[in-house]
Amino acid sequence: MRNLAILIFQTLDGVMQAPSIPEEDFSGGFRHGGWAKDCWNDVMEQVIKEAMSEQYDLLLGRNTYNLFASNFASAEPDNPVADKLNRAKKYVVTSDTDDLTWNNSFKLKGSNAAVEVAKIKEIDGPLLQVHGSWQLVQLLLKHNLVDELRLWTFPVVVGEGKRLFENDEISSKYKLIKFATCPSGAFMHFYQSLDRSAV
């Protein structure tokens, strides 16, 4: 059995929508895309060191998968981040019928995603990491499938948008297991779920 960690960039007021690219996600009339730009470089250095240095598989929603694939699938092989992402298995929760063209990608049916993710967690393998993928994260939290929260919080308030803890039915307890700051003012918190037995 393996653990599942969600990796989230969020504002001080908990918004995780469209951190890096202004046109990434306009849903709900969101107009603050790219809010992470002032801290992006040093946060990414920390992310690469703390969350992407060891082997992992990816679990992604379809929109995040499309965004990652467009940025990394054709990247130069000497790019260490792209190389890790390209070699990782990528499980994609989607209801689309289109083929997944990024190598090592496997489709999970959106209608039965929680059951399929639980089965994947039972298989021996590296850590499952979820990046972004707001709708998928809500599903995983609701079904108590998250073992670890890996949060980077940016010194920005946007006031609206998709928040990490959007569902008021979710009630969980976590233990802080790692903390660090960035020169730009962003900070990292890793939390282990106390509602699940960590592997």
Side-chain angles (χ1 to χ4, degrees):
M1 186 172 179
R2 53 180 162 169
N3 283 341
L4 184 152
I6 60 173
L7 192 156
I8 301 294
F9 293 165
Q10 65 176 2
T11 64
L12 285 173
D13 54 335
V15 174
M16 57 180 284
Q17 186 170 354
S20 61
I21 304 171
E23 61 275 12
E24 181 180 339
D25 181 3
F26 292 116
S27 62
F30 190 69
R31 49 193 169 77
H32 304 289
W35 48 260
K37 65 182 184 303
D38 292 341
C39 305
W40 189 259
N41 290 337
D42 64 341
V43 166
M44 285 308 301
E45 286 181 16
Q46 194 175 66
V47 169
I48 291 166
K49 176 184 175 184
E50 298 288 348
M52 301 181 76
S53 59
E54 297 180 7
Q55 185 181 0
Y56 53 85
D57 289 343
L58 288 170
L59 175 63
L60 303 170
R62 186 58 186 261
N63 290 339
T64 303
Y65 171 85
N66 290 341
L67 180 66
F68 275 36
S70 66
N71 283 300
F72 298 110
S74 301
E76 295 297 325
D78 60 348
N79 180 327
V81 174
D83 182 59
K84 270 272 177 68
L85 291 169
N86 284 321
R87 285 190 286 112
K89 285 184 180 178
K90 292 164 278 286
Y91 299 98
V92 185
V93 176
T94 180
S95 56
D96 290 351
T97 56
D98 299 345
D99 291 336
L100 302 176
T101 57
W102 195 5
N103 64 305
N104 296 327
S105 296
F106 305 90
K107 190 178 291 188
L108 304 180
K109 294 179 181 178
S111 60
N112 205 27
V115 173
E116 295 201 43
V117 170
K119 289 179 181 177
I120 292 170
K121 289 188 67 179
E122 293 292 335
I123 301 169
D124 286 338
L127 178 74
L128 277 171
Q129 283 202 71
V130 182
H131 292 233
S133 306
W134 176 81
Q135 189 172 359
L136 172 59
V137 165
Q138 302 307 304
L139 179 78
L140 297 172
L141 289 169
K142 178 180 178 181
H143 289 275
N144 195 27
L145 290 168
V146 177
D147 301 287
E148 192 174 313
L149 303 174
R150 297 182 169 191
L151 310 179
W152 274 266
T153 305
F154 292 68
V156 178
V157 174
V158 296
E160 61 179 0
K162 298 172 181 175
R163 287 176 163 77
L164 171 58
F165 293 105
E166 193 79 24
N167 188 338
D168 58 10
E169 296 176 4
I170 295 171
S171 177
S172 301
K173 293 182 179 180
Y174 296 91
K175 174 185 177 182
L176 180 67
I177 56 174
K178 188 178 284 190
F179 170 79
T181 59
C182 289
S184 60
F187 49 94
M188 176 190 84
H189 286 100
F190 284 14
Y191 293 97
Q192 183 182 85
S193 173
L194 296 179
D195 298 327
R196 297 188 53 79
S197 298
V199 177

